[in-house]
Structure formats: structure tokens, C-alpha cells
Amino acid sequence: MERNLAQTAKLFGISRNELIRRMRESELLNERNLPRYPTRDREYLRTKEGQWFHPKAGMQYSESTRIKQAGISWLAQRLKLQLPTPPEEKRHVA
């Protein structure tokens, strides 16, 4: 499972802008909010490439950062964030 920056920030209980600021200060993101070291951090972060067709402008391309599942605890440790507590098990065996 992968999360975008907004979903990851919500998981940690901070804003997307705060997460981006901390990641930039820790040199994990570049000025375009993409992984600064994509090869080094490939186990935790990745760049998602997208494209769509605009009727007047033609093909449009985008890139965004995705945090992999293994990157959640890694990011919490790097940024000194509190790891979210797992939800309580709601299934009960009869």
C-alpha cells in the first residue's frame, strides 16, 4: 500500500505542508516535492508519474511522491514523529 503526502500527513496528525517542510529540512524532498535521493530511498519513497489529455493543451504530465508502507516507520524515525497507534480489532470470534 502506498500513500500520497496528504494521506501520510493525516496519518501522523500533521498538515501536508508541515510534512513537506520537515521532509525538505531533512533533505528527503527536493524543491518539486519529489524524493531527493530516489535510488537511496527507493525502499521507502517513490515518484509516481501520471498523464492525462487536456482538450486544448494536449498531453499533460505530472509527478508526485508516494510513501510506501515500509516508509511510514522510517519516516517517523527520520522526522521524529509519533507513529500512529493501530486501530483496535473490532472483529470478535464467537
Side-chain angles (χ1 to χ4, degrees):
M1 178 179 178
E2 294 181 340
R3 293 176 172 83
N4 63 28
L5 293 172
Q7 293 166 331
T8 304
K10 186 176 180 180
L11 188 69
F12 289 123
I14 60 175
S15 70
R16 176 182 172 272
N17 290 343
E18 175 68 14
L19 178 63
I20 290 171
R21 183 186 66 75
R22 289 181 181 205
M23 290 179 76
R24 281 184 177 178
E25 286 174 355
S26 296
E27 297 189 353
L28 299 176
L29 294 180
N30 64 19
E31 64 282 345
R32 293 178 48 216
N33 296 335
L34 298 174
R36 182 175 297 274
Y37 303 105
T39 303
R40 181 192 76 181
D41 299 335
R42 70 180 171 266
E43 298 296 320
Y44 313 109
L45 307 173
R46 83 171 183 96
T47 301
K48 179 186 176 203
E49 297 176 353
Q51 62 184 13
W52 68 94
F53 183 79
H54 187 276
K56 291 184 181 176
M59 284 303 290
Q60 302 293 303
Y61 301 92
S62 67
E63 294 180 313
S64 61
T65 297
R66 294 292 191 253
I67 289 78
K68 297 180 179 183
Q69 186 63 38
I72 299 298
S73 58
W74 174 79
L75 202 55
Q77 186 177 25
R78 294 285 302 249
L79 303 180
K80 296 178 178 43
L81 293 168
Q82 187 70 20
L83 268 176
T85 57
E88 183 180 320
E89 182 65 46
K90 294 185 179 182
R91 295 181 297 179
H92 297 288
V93 177

